[in-house]
Amino acid sequence: MTPSSAHASPDGNGTPETSGRWTPRLAGVLLALTWPTQLVTAVVILGSNSLASVAQVFHTTQVVWFTLVVTLVYTLFTPFLFKLGDLYGRKRIMVAVTGLGVVGDSVAAMAGHYWLVLVGRALGAGYGVFPALAYPAIRDIFPAKLVKSASGLLASAGGLVALASPFLAAWLVDGWGYRGGLWFLASVSAVAFVLVVFLVPETPRHAFDSGFDWLGGLTLGGGLSALVYVLGRGDEWGWGSGETLSWITGGALALVAFVLVERSASYPILNLKVLRRRSVATVLLSASWGQAVAFSAPTISILLALYPHIPGVSDGLGWSVHHNAVITAPASVIVFLIGVYSSRLMRRVDARLLARCGLALMALGFLLMGSFHADETQLMWTMCVANLGGGTVVAAAPVMVVGAVTPDEHGQASGTLIMLLGLFSALFGALFFAVLDAHSTVMKGTAFYSDSGYTAALRLGGLLGLVALAIALFIPPLREPERDAAALPVPAAH
C-alpha cells in the first residue's frame, strides 16, 4: 500500500479509524482545522474595521494596501503551498503558515512605520491558504463515513465567526486602535499553531515527483494576483485607463503562459486533465462562483446600513456598527445552524441537491433584499433568506469537491477552488461598486449612494446567484468517499 492511498490516523499509531463514529480525538482534530480556517474570516472583518485607524496613525493615502497585500500574497503563493502539501504532507505546511501568521501579525502590531506594517501583513498572509490544506486533510484523517459531515461543519463554522467578529472588531478597534486588532490576530494565530502541532496528525503524501514546477506556479499565481489587484484598483484608476488595461493584459497573458507551460511541464503544478473533467470543472466553477456571491454581496447591505441618510444625497440607513451587528446577528446564526443541519443531511442526501436549493434560496434572498430594505425588519428577514441559502452553499461546496476528485487530486482541487473564489470575489466586488457608482452623488470627495443603486446592486447579487445555480444544474453524479475507502487495501495486522 502506498502512502498516498492510506488514511492517516488521528491516534498517530498508523491504524486508521474506520468506525465512522465521532470520538474526542476526531473532535479535537476538527477544532484544530476549523480554528485557523475560520481565522481567515476574522482577518477580513478586523482588517476592514481597522482601515480608518491605520490611515490616521500613519497619515497615509495608501491604506488600501493594509487589506489588499494579504489577498495578493496568498493568491500568489496558493499554487506553491498546496503542491508542497501534496509533496511533503499537509501538516508541515499548516504549521509553517500558522507560525508565519503569528510572526507577521506581531511584526505588524509593533511596527512604527507603515511599510513595516505591510511587511508583517504579507508575512502573515499565508494563512489565507489554510482552507486549501484543511479540506483535503479531513479526507486524509477522518473515516470515510464522516468526511462529508466534517467538511460541512468546517465550512459552516464561519457563521459563528461572522456573528462575533463585528462586535469584537468594534471593541478592539475602538479601545486600542488597529494594534488591538492585530494583537488579537497574533494571539489567536498562536492558538492555531499550538492546536495544529499537537492535535493534527501527519497526513500522507499525495505526490512523489522529484521536480517542482516553479514556472507554472509563478505564471498561475502571478496572473491571478495581477487580476485580483486590478479588480481592486480599477474603480480608482478608471476601467478604461492605460494602467488598468496594462494590468488586465499582463494577468491574462500570464495565465495563457501558464496553460502553455503546464502542457509541457514534467511535474505540472496543476493537472489540467483533471480540471477538464466535467464533474471537476462544474463543481469548482459553481462552488467558487456561489461562495463568492455569498461572501461579497452582503457588503452592499453593510454599506446601506452604515452610510448616513442625507435627503437628496445619500439613502443609507445611518446605523452604527454595533446596531448593524445586532440586526445581522440572526442571519449569522442561521449560517452556522443550517451548516450543522446540512452536514448531517448530506450523509443521506445528494450534496448537489442541497447546493442547488441553497443557490436558489440565496438568489431569492438577494432579489428580495433589493426590493425590501427600508428598515430593520425588512433587512433582517431578507438577509435571513439569503443566508439560509448561502449557508447551505458554503456547507455543500467542500462536500461536492470530495465527490468530484480522488484523494490524490483533492489538494489541487481545493487550491483551485480557493484561487477561483478570490478571483470571483474581487470581480463581483468591482461589479457591485460600479453599479453603486452609477447611482452616486459625490460631495466633498466622498461618493454617497442612492436607493436605486443599492436596489440594482442587490438584484445583481441575486442574478449572479442564479448563474451559479445554472452551472450547478450540469454537475454529473458524484462519487462517495466510502467508495474510495472500500477500494483501499486492508492494512496488515501488527
Side-chain angles (χ1 to χ4, degrees), residues 213-224:
D213 183 16
W214 292 100
L215 183 57
L218 286 173
T219 52
L220 176 59
L224 289 174

Side-chain angles (χ1 to χ4, degrees), residues 286-298 362 393 420-426 428-429 432:
S286 65
S288 58
W289 187 293
Q291 287 186 98
V293 175
F295 295 147
S296 59
M362 181 180 69
V393 171
L420 288 174
L421 176 57
L423 179 63
F424 288 144
S425 295
F428 298 161
F432 292 143

Side-chain angles (χ1 to χ4, degrees), residues 274-434:
V274 172
L275 300 182
R276 285 199 297 265
R277 292 205 309 257
R278 178 184 163 191
S279 59
V280 178
T282 51
V283 164
L284 292 181
L285 188 56
S286 65
S288 58
W289 187 293
Q291 287 186 98
V293 175
F295 295 147
S296 59
T299 302
I300 307 165
S301 64
I302 295 174
L303 293 174
L304 169 65
L306 300 184
Y307 263 54
H309 182 73
I310 307 173
V313 177
S314 174
D315 289 329
L317 298 174
W319 298 346
S320 67
V321 174
H322 183 270
H323 184 68
N324 184 54
V326 172
I327 297 302
T328 58
S332 297
V333 172
I334 282 177
V335 171
F336 176 70
L337 294 179
I338 193 63
V340 172
Y341 179 71
S342 296
S343 300
R344 295 176 60 87
L345 193 60
M346 278 185 287
R347 297 186 68 173
R348 304 184 302 275
V349 177
D350 192 334
R352 295 177 302 160
L353 177 60
L354 285 180
R356 291 163 183 166
C357 292
L359 289 167
L361 271 175
M362 181 180 69
L364 175 63
F366 287 122
L367 290 172
L368 289 172
M369 202 182 302
S371 299
F372 304 100
H373 53 255
D375 53 35
E376 287 95 335
T377 301
Q378 289 187 0
L379 201 57
M380 184 183 292
W381 73 262
T382 53
M383 194 176 300
C384 284
V385 174
N387 277 24
L388 182 64
T392 305
V393 171
V394 170
V399 177
M400 290 195 298
V401 174
V402 169
V405 296
T406 67
D408 287 345
E409 298 165 348
H410 201 158
Q412 66 169 305
S414 289
T416 304
L417 179 67
I418 294 299
M419 290 185 288
L420 288 174
L421 176 57
L423 179 63
F424 288 144
S425 295
L427 174 61
F428 298 161
L431 288 175
F432 292 143
F433 274 99

Side-chain angles (χ1 to χ4, degrees), residues 38-364:
Q38 297 305 337
L39 182 58
V40 178
T41 303
V43 168
V44 173
I45 296 174
L46 286 171
S48 300
N49 282 273
S50 299
L51 291 177
S53 175
V54 171
Q56 293 173 44
V57 169
F58 293 102
H59 305 287
T60 179
T61 59
Q62 300 298 314
V63 71
V64 65
W65 282 100
F66 186 76
T67 53
L68 187 57
V69 70
V70 176
T71 304
L72 291 178
V73 169
Y74 84 70
T75 301
L76 176 62
F77 285 102
T78 292
F80 298 101
L81 293 178
F82 74 69
K83 183 64 174 182
L84 289 172
D86 282 344
L87 284 169
Y88 301 110
R90 295 182 178 106
K91 179 178 179 176
R92 296 182 183 184
I93 311 304
M94 292 177 185
V95 170
V97 297
T98 51
L100 282 174
V102 178
V103 173
D105 287 330
S106 298
V107 168
M110 293 185 292
H113 301 280
Y114 187 49
W115 67 268
L116 193 54
V117 172
L118 297 182
V119 169
R121 295 284 283 168
L123 281 173
Y127 45 54
V129 185
F130 201 95
L133 301 167
Y135 289 108
I138 283 180
R139 195 169 186 174
D140 288 335
I141 297 167
F142 281 69
K145 292 182 179 180
L146 293 182
V147 168
K148 287 184 175 182
S149 56
S151 298
L153 287 170
L154 177 60
S156 60
L160 293 181
V161 177
L163 171 64
S165 291
F167 296 100
L168 182 63
W171 175 61
L172 290 171
V173 177
D174 288 347
W176 294 278
Y178 80 95
R179 296 186 194 274
L182 289 174
W183 278 122
F184 173 80
L185 290 177
S187 300
V188 294
S189 295
V191 174
F193 178 82
V194 172
L195 290 174
V196 171
V197 168
F198 290 102
L199 296 181
V200 178
E202 289 291 347
T203 57
R205 295 168 60 191
H206 291 275
F208 302 91
D209 303 328
S210 58
F212 196 91
D213 183 16
W214 292 100
L215 183 57
L218 286 173
T219 52
L220 176 59
L224 289 174
S225 296
L227 293 178
V228 169
Y229 177 64
V230 72
L231 288 169
R233 303 299 300 276
D235 192 54
E236 175 188 344
W237 295 340
W239 291 105
S241 69
E243 195 167 14
T244 298
L245 295 177
S246 296
W247 277 90
I248 292 175
T249 301
L253 289 176
L255 294 179
V256 171
F258 163 73
V259 173
L260 297 176
V261 167
E262 292 305 276
R263 286 181 174 179
S264 58
S266 300
Y267 309 101
I269 203 162
L270 279 182
N271 188 336
L272 297 182
K273 292 181 179 179
V274 172
L275 300 182
R276 285 199 297 265
R277 292 205 309 257
R278 178 184 163 191
S279 59
V280 178
T282 51
V283 164
L284 292 181
L285 188 56
S286 65
S288 58
W289 187 293
Q291 287 186 98
V293 175
F295 295 147
S296 59
T299 302
I300 307 165
S301 64
I302 295 174
L303 293 174
L304 169 65
L306 300 184
Y307 263 54
H309 182 73
I310 307 173
V313 177
S314 174
D315 289 329
L317 298 174
W319 298 346
S320 67
V321 174
H322 183 270
H323 184 68
N324 184 54
V326 172
I327 297 302
T328 58
S332 297
V333 172
I334 282 177
V335 171
F336 176 70
L337 294 179
I338 193 63
V340 172
Y341 179 71
S342 296
S343 300
R344 295 176 60 87
L345 193 60
M346 278 185 287
R347 297 186 68 173
R348 304 184 302 275
V349 177
D350 192 334
R352 295 177 302 160
L353 177 60
L354 285 180
R356 291 163 183 166
C357 292
L359 289 167
L361 271 175
M362 181 180 69
L364 175 63

